[in-house]
């Protein structure tokens, strides 16, 4: 517990805006993944762990600034019906031929996009491009973690179809924010993936199976909790904000039987495995003498004309 607390504490110093896998959870997941790497990789990643931690949130920041970014974070499996697992092509080229790009993007391209980021990371390792390795590692961590969130696999992503608006941020932000210090997030050492694309799809389908329980238990507890006990108020950035109460959050997490913790651990293990696999597939290059300045912050400017899914508590 002390080890985990020492890892978590610096995250609160990174930003005053961990209220919107929310920023806090993404940063923690990427950070923990570094500790699962073998010696040849951890000696490269550990000195840059702050970069990997902070840049874990960049894909979310790009969602409102870069056209084509938003659909990389999810896939609405229910659009494809109960046979989604059998009718969705594993590889992007096959999917394009079957459904067309516009249709695919309209319903999310998360699994295919994550795999492309993995391929790009492998190439960065081959080229020994230090800035690209770090940037793509952070991005890949974000995309893989998103695909382990049940609500990133359904058209009812924020409970908007069932009168449960706000459940997205509740599940992926509020619970980790309040409870992650008690999670056991050590996942062991990274392992090589023989079929990385298949691993992505298996994670997505496993996450999707859990959508029903995510929605059911929130609705059940809402019926049991009076309104003034379901929510409370906290001051954030000098603003009084309505949030899910500690009591309701703890009851929900208990009803889910540590589901959020399990999905965070799956994300951590998956990210470490993918970083390791990319390095292996690149020929295990020696990273000890890599040169290159770490890239400065990208300039993310929100474009009002971009209509993307909200990602708030």
């Amino acid at each position: 517990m002390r080890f985990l607390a020492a890892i978590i504490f610096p995250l609160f110093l990174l930003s005053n805006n961990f209220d919107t896998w929310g920023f806090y959870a993404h940063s923690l997941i990427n950070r923990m993944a570094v500790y699962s790497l073998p010696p040849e990789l951890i000696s490269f990643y550990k000195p840059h762990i702050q970069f990997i931690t902070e840049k874990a949130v960049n894909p979310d920041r790009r969602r409102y600034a870069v056209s084509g970014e938003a659909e990389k974070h999810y896939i609405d499996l229910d659009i494809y019906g109960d046979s989604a697992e059998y009718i969705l092509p594993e590889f992007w080229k096959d999917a394009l031929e079957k459904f067309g790009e516009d249709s695919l993007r309209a319903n999310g391209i998360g699994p295919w996009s994550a795999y492309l980021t993995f391929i790009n990371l492998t190439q960065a390792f081959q080229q020994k491009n230090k800035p690209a390795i770090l940037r793509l590692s952070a991005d890949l961590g974000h995309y893989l973690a998103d695909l382990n969130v049940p609500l990133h696999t359904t058209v009812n992503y924020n409970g908007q179809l069932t009168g449960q608006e706000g459940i997205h941020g509740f599940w992926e932000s509020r619970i980790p924010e309040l409870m992650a210090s008690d999670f056991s997030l050590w996942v062991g050492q990274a392992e090589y993936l023989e079929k990385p694309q298949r691993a992505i799809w298996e994670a997505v389908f496993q996450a999707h199976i859990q959508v029903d329980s995510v929605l059911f238990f929130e609705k059940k507890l809402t019926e049991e909790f009076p309104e003034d006990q379901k929510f409370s108020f906290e001051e954030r950035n000098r603003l009084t904000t309505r949030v899910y109460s500690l009591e309701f959050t703890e009851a929900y997490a208990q009803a889910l039987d540590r589901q959020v913790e399990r999905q965070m651990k799956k994300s951590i293990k998956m990210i470490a495995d993918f970083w390791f696999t990319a390095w292996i597939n690149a020929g295990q290059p020696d990273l000890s003498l890599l040169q290159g300045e770490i890239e400065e912050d990208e300039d993310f400017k929100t474009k009002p004309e971009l209509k993307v899914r909200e990602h708030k508590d």
Side-chain angles (χ1 to χ4, degrees), residues 11-269:
L11 296 179
F12 290 101
L13 305 179
L14 300 178
S15 169
N16 292 323
N17 186 28
F18 278 116
D19 56 347
T20 175
W21 301 188
F23 281 9
Y24 166 71
H26 271 302
S27 297
L28 175 57
I29 287 168
N30 264 18
R31 190 177 187 90
M32 289 299 298
V34 171
Y35 291 96
S36 289
L37 296 173
E40 301 92 335
L41 282 183
I42 199 170
S43 62
F44 170 77
Y45 278 87
K46 184 70 181 300
H48 304 294
I49 196 169
Q50 198 72 358
F51 181 94
I52 294 293
T53 300
E54 294 179 0
K55 303 308 178 183
V57 306
N58 272 8
D60 269 342
R61 296 171 65 197
R62 291 197 299 264
R63 291 171 72 248
Y64 301 95
V66 179
S67 180
E69 173 66 33
E71 58 262 36
K72 296 179 180 180
H73 297 245
Y74 67 93
I75 182 170
D76 293 336
L77 291 179
D78 32 20
I79 291 293
Y80 300 95
D82 295 337
S83 300
E85 185 172 356
Y86 306 101
I87 68 173
L88 281 171
E90 193 168 292
F91 293 95
W92 178 243
K93 181 180 178 181
D94 299 329
L96 283 176
E97 293 177 356
K98 188 170 185 177
F99 294 103
E101 185 167 357
D102 288 346
S103 176
L104 289 169
R105 288 188 177 277
N107 299 311
I109 59 171
W112 299 292
S113 179
Y115 184 68
L116 176 61
T117 304
F118 164 73
I119 294 300
N120 290 337
L121 175 60
T122 303
Q123 294 174 347
F125 274 124
Q126 291 172 333
Q127 298 163 0
K128 296 185 178 181
N129 185 333
K130 178 180 175 180
I133 291 171
L134 293 172
R135 176 178 56 81
L136 289 165
S137 293
D139 280 1
L140 181 58
H142 184 107
Y143 294 136
L144 292 176
D146 271 356
L147 295 176
N148 279 285
V149 175
L151 292 170
H152 279 250
T153 71
T154 175
V155 68
N156 192 23
Y157 58 91
N158 195 31
Q160 76 280 4
L161 303 181
T162 49
Q164 297 172 276
E165 289 85 354
I167 194 172
H168 192 131
F170 181 34
W171 191 98
E172 71 168 19
S173 298
R174 184 65 170 165
I175 292 177
E177 180 186 273
L178 292 179
M179 306 184 70
S181 61
D182 293 322
F183 290 173
S184 176
L185 297 179
W186 172 244
V187 297
Q189 187 164 306
E191 299 173 294
Y192 180 76
L193 298 169
E194 294 287 347
K195 298 180 179 180
Q197 180 74 319
R198 176 46 26 192
I200 292 174
W201 283 103
E202 288 177 355
V204 170
F205 292 130
Q206 284 298 313
H208 187 63
I209 290 172
Q210 301 175 67
V211 170
D212 286 347
S213 61
V214 170
L215 298 170
F216 171 79
F217 286 112
E218 194 277 342
K219 184 174 287 290
K220 183 174 183 293
L221 287 171
T222 296
E223 295 171 353
E224 298 173 0
F225 270 70
E227 181 80 2
D228 62 348
Q229 294 181 29
K230 178 179 179 179
F231 296 102
S232 60
F233 292 89
E234 294 181 359
E235 184 173 325
R236 298 187 175 201
N237 298 325
R238 299 182 180 179
L239 295 175
T240 300
T241 306
R242 191 177 79 153
V243 295
Y244 290 90
S245 69
L246 174 60
E247 293 75 18
F248 190 81
T249 302
E250 290 178 337
Y252 184 51
Q254 182 176 359
L256 289 173
D257 192 24
R258 307 184 78 88
Q259 181 190 77
V260 175
E261 178 181 349
R262 288 196 304 274
Q263 293 306 108
M264 287 185 72
K265 292 182 70 171
K266 285 183 179 181
S267 299
I268 292 165
K269 181 62 162 63

Side-chain angles (χ1 to χ4, degrees), residues 48 128-131 134 289-295:
H48 304 294
K128 296 185 178 181
N129 185 333
K130 178 180 175 180
L134 293 172
L289 300 178
L290 291 195
Q291 302 295 319
E293 296 296 323
I294 297 179
E295 297 175 351

